[in-house]
Amino acid sequence: MPIVIGIFFLLPLFFGALAEYLCCRLPRRRFWRFLPPVIAVVFLIVAVWIRIQNWESKDVSPLTQLIIFPGVPAVALLLGVYLGWRFWKYLWSPKIIDDLR
């Protein structure tokens, strides 16, 4: 069970956070910041499309199979993208120092 959680949740979470942080930190142009969320949404659409096209089993509920894959990895990837952006924002945004106290 921990291997499944690691593969389907923690790896996409890590890669999403890393990609978003690097795309926010390294390039000078702002449009690169939108690349990881766009790739995550495209990944979700392609995975759902492939999953629906290859549907042959009538015994298993389609909803449960769409939630397990690509649902969980896509949610983890989008959450990782958000966390990577928040981490970048926390580290590199200007800090306000109140000297009056």
Side-chain angles (χ1 to χ4, degrees):
M1 187 67 171
I3 293 174
V4 173
I5 292 171
I7 290 173
F8 283 114
F9 191 79
L10 294 179
L11 278 176
L13 182 79
F14 173 74
F15 286 133
L18 183 67
E20 180 68 20
Y21 178 76
L22 291 177
C23 283
C24 285
R25 174 71 180 106
L26 297 179
R28 297 204 185 269
R29 300 189 187 258
R30 292 182 69 117
F31 72 88
W32 286 101
R33 294 179 188 170
F34 299 109
L35 188 64
V38 169
I39 289 175
V41 169
V42 168
F43 163 75
L44 176 64
I45 291 170
V46 168
V48 167
W49 179 258
I50 290 172
R51 196 74 154 157
I52 290 173
Q53 292 298 320
N54 293 334
W55 209 268
E56 295 179 4
S57 175
K58 304 292 183 201
D59 299 334
V60 182
S61 170
L63 183 62
T64 58
Q65 291 216 354
L66 286 175
I67 288 174
I68 293 172
F69 184 82
V72 173
V75 168
L77 187 62
L78 289 171
L79 180 65
V81 166
Y82 174 72
L83 291 176
W85 176 75
R86 291 296 299 171
F87 185 64
W88 169 79
K89 192 86 165 156
Y90 175 75
L91 288 179
W92 296 100
S93 64
K95 306 291 188 256
I96 297 173
I97 300 172
D98 189 13
D99 290 336
L100 298 176
R101 289 186 184 189

